Amino acid sequence: MGPSEFQLPSVEQFESLVGAETVDRILHKAERLSDLHVVHINSTFYGGGVAEILSPLTVLMNSLGIRTGWRIIQGRPDFFSITKKMHNALQGEEINLSEQKKRIYEEVVFENAARMHLDHDIVIVHDPQPLPLIRHFRKNSPWIWRCHVDLSRPNPDLWGYLASFVEGYDAVILSLPEYAQNISVPQRFIMPAINPFSTTNKELSKAEIQDRLDHHDIPTDQPLVVQVSRFDKWKDPHGVIDAFRLARREIDATLVLLGNVATDDPEGQQIFESLCACGEERIRILSAPDSALVNALQRQATVVLQKSLREGFGLTVTEAMWKGTPVIGGNVGGIRHQIADGVNGFLVDSVEQAAERIVQLIKNPELGGKLGRAARETVRERFLLTRLIEEQLDLIGAFEPSFRLADPGS
Ligand code: UDP
């Protein structure tokens, strides 16, 4: 790149958070791989955790000297309607997998392949939308399928179909060992991470927080209970409202449900509209593409909820924990690995349990402070972007010339 008034973020920025030794180790590992050309492929630049991860990850890899690109497949609404059904079925729902749906899915991916022109040393394909790309390239390098969803109980029909594409890859990355599938491709497990310097996560002054909340007319006269999530049924927004209504019998508080709609998620708008019908003076339902508002709400909240019913890994959980805010998370998927119940947050299995924990945290700010401090430390140790970068460097450095993935530790 030529000279610019802007500067790429650098791994050195993380030194005060993760230590000089970690930074040096990453620089050293990156240097050894600096002749590689890597590409990530997914289906949206905006909305949802994958885009939130790829955005800083790809930039930081470039600042480490590894040429890393990011491509996005295009599709008509019918394509994304099918891939959203697949997403839901991967998380356990039924699907009517007709020949017509398969044809649209495969045809749109084929058209994307035709205009993609890949000539990279490592190709990393994210989630089911672009998965069949592998069928259309002469493979000159390792291809990795990185699946972010909660694969603890995928619909068998759908998995049977998708596995035929997955088998073409050289490695699969999942967020957790319990998502492992019965396939011949080597599987590795890497949990996502957050960028502490992004608009969503950077430090904010009290005045900056207040300014954002005022801008969206969010009252701060009572404690805030917040859930930030794509409008998606797996995030259980109606369960959040029910839990809040139960809690309100015992405490005063305002609930804010902030969401957005990803460009590859056609169900969001309908869910948003169904929630708006539940709005009332103390229940605010907001749809706003405003990362600074996410940041302000996670900081101002007395309690953050992430009452998901399935969650591959909840970035929003880690984001709130980083801000020292106690999180009540659904006892599912990745959240179980992010929150240690009663140590750095709470895990809940029902609306009633969520309500009890809301009441407890609002009545007992000291408990919230203690859990929040432990939460921030958990994130510093395990969930910052540097850990993800290092695991990714280790993985791409582990391919042998035959594209075989060396065993971990060998
Ligand atoms: N997010 C946002 N605005 C919203 C809702 C979500 O910026 O209104 C961001 C959120 O901060 C997080 C990501 O979108 O970084 C959601 O990732 P997560 O892993 O929690 O869930 P996913 O949407 O991938 O299922």
Side-chain angles (χ1 to χ4, degrees):
M1 280 183 11
S4 159
E5 62 181 296
F6 299 108
Q7 275 209 328
L8 285 181
S10 72
V11 76
E12 285 89 346
Q13 272 179 290
F14 288 76
E15 190 175 313
S16 64
L17 300 174
V18 301
E21 204 179 302
T22 301
V23 169
D24 286 346
R25 211 171 50 237
I26 292 173
L27 287 169
H28 178 70
K29 288 180 178 179
E31 203 183 328
R32 283 179 38 220
L33 300 171
S34 61
D35 56 338
L36 290 184
H37 191 193
V38 178
V39 64
H40 290 264
I41 304 167
N42 79 321
S43 60
T44 180
F45 179 71
Y46 174 74
V50 181
E52 289 291 324
I53 296 163
L54 285 180
S55 183
L57 179 79
T58 49
V59 169
L60 206 57
M61 289 288 273
N62 281 286
S63 93
L64 281 167
I66 300 176
R67 287 172 304 145
T68 303
W70 178 7
R71 307 275 185 92
I72 289 156
I73 61 162
Q74 295 94 25
R76 298 183 303 271
D78 54 351
F79 172 76
F80 287 120
S81 154
I82 293 165
T83 56
K84 179 71 202 229
K85 289 189 173 83
M86 290 183 171
H87 170 95
N88 290 340
L90 280 178
Q91 302 208 121
E93 212 167 70
E94 290 297 312
I95 185 168
N96 167 18
L97 194 61
S98 63
E99 288 307 313
Q100 194 195 354
K101 287 199 187 90
K102 290 184 195 169
R103 184 162 179 88
I104 293 172
Y105 173 56
E106 292 180 31
E107 190 167 51
V108 170
V109 173
F110 165 70
E111 287 166 6
N112 276 276
R115 56 180 175 252
M116 200 160 266
H117 309 290
L118 299 180
D119 184 17
H120 297 74
D121 303 301
I122 301 276
V123 180
I124 306 176
V125 173
H126 295 258
D127 284 340
Q129 298 90 341
L131 172 67
L133 278 175
I134 186 110
R135 287 270 164 93
H136 308 295
F137 290 87
R138 197 174 307 118
K139 209 149 55 78
N140 295 320
S141 60
W143 279 56
I144 300 169
W145 186 52
R146 200 312 174 205
C147 183
H148 296 263
V149 306
D150 182 339
L151 276 188
S152 44
R153 50 199 131 169
N155 175 287
D157 288 347
L158 179 69
W159 181 254
Y161 168 61
L162 294 184
S164 67
F165 302 109
V166 176
E167 289 286 352
Y169 284 76
D170 300 291
V172 168
I173 310 178
L174 305 170
S175 295
L176 301 175
E178 54 258 44
Y179 300 158
Q181 301 298 316
N182 186 11
I183 47 176
S184 63
V185 183
Q187 301 173 76
R188 298 287 184 274
F189 310 100
I190 301 183
M191 282 193 273
I194 62 161
N195 174 15
F197 306 112
S198 67
T199 310
T200 307
N201 296 317
K202 69 181 186 192
E203 296 298 324
L204 292 181
S205 68
K206 284 214 158 56
E208 287 169 319
I209 295 172
Q210 196 60 49
D211 179 59
R212 265 308 80 198
L213 300 178
D214 289 347
H215 183 80
H216 291 273
D217 277 335
I218 294 168
T220 48
D221 56 329
Q222 294 184 0
L224 289 184
V225 176
V226 168
Q227 176 160 303
V228 176
S229 276
R230 256 179 329 103
F231 291 114
D232 178 307
K233 62 181 148 210
W234 301 111
K235 313 289 183 183
D236 198 18
H238 287 284
V240 170
I241 292 175
D242 292 345
F244 179 74
R245 286 194 170 132
L246 274 180
R248 277 269 294 173
R249 294 181 187 165
E250 291 182 53
I251 44 95
D252 285 328
T254 305
L255 172 67
V256 181
L257 270 181
L258 170 65
N260 60 2
V261 177
T263 57
D264 61 353
D265 181 354
E267 291 178 352
Q269 188 58 28
Q270 202 188 337
I271 291 181
F272 173 60
E273 284 162 20
S274 77
L275 288 168
C276 285
C278 308
E280 52 186 70
E281 200 207 335
R282 288 292 160 187
I283 299 182
R284 301 292 174 101
I285 315 289
L286 290 176
S287 176
D290 184 346
S291 308
L293 176 62
V294 173
N295 193 339
L297 278 171
Q298 289 170 336
R299 286 181 191 281
Q300 180 72 24
T302 304
V303 183
V304 162
L305 281 171
Q306 189 56 56
K307 215 201 133 319
S308 304
L309 304 170
R310 296 278 196 288
E311 192 69 71
F313 180 94
L315 283 184
T316 50
V317 172
T318 296
E319 290 163 359
M321 289 172 75
W322 177 240
K323 290 154 191 137
T325 304
V327 181
I328 302 171
N331 187 15
V332 294
I335 301 179
R336 285 190 224 184
H337 295 253
Q338 300 173 259
I339 296 177
D341 190 33
V343 177
N344 58 13
F346 287 121
L347 293 171
V348 293
D349 288 292
S350 65
V351 165
E352 291 71 25
Q353 282 181 10
E356 273 169 37
R357 293 305 191 189
I358 295 171
V359 171
Q360 188 184 9
L361 284 166
I362 287 183
K363 284 189 174 164
N364 189 347
E366 258 174 40
L367 172 66
K370 193 181 108 210
L371 296 176
R373 282 189 295 280
R376 183 173 167 99
E377 186 54 18
T378 304
V379 178
R380 196 188 65 72
E381 283 173 7
R382 297 177 52 211
F383 296 119
L384 294 181
L385 193 56
T386 32
R387 192 265 305 145
L388 175 60
I389 292 268
E390 187 167 8
E391 288 190 304
Q392 176 140 342
L393 292 174
D394 289 342
L395 182 86
I396 63 183
F399 283 101
E400 295 169 352
S402 63
F403 312 158
R404 208 185 75 87
L405 192 57
D407 291 331
S410 69

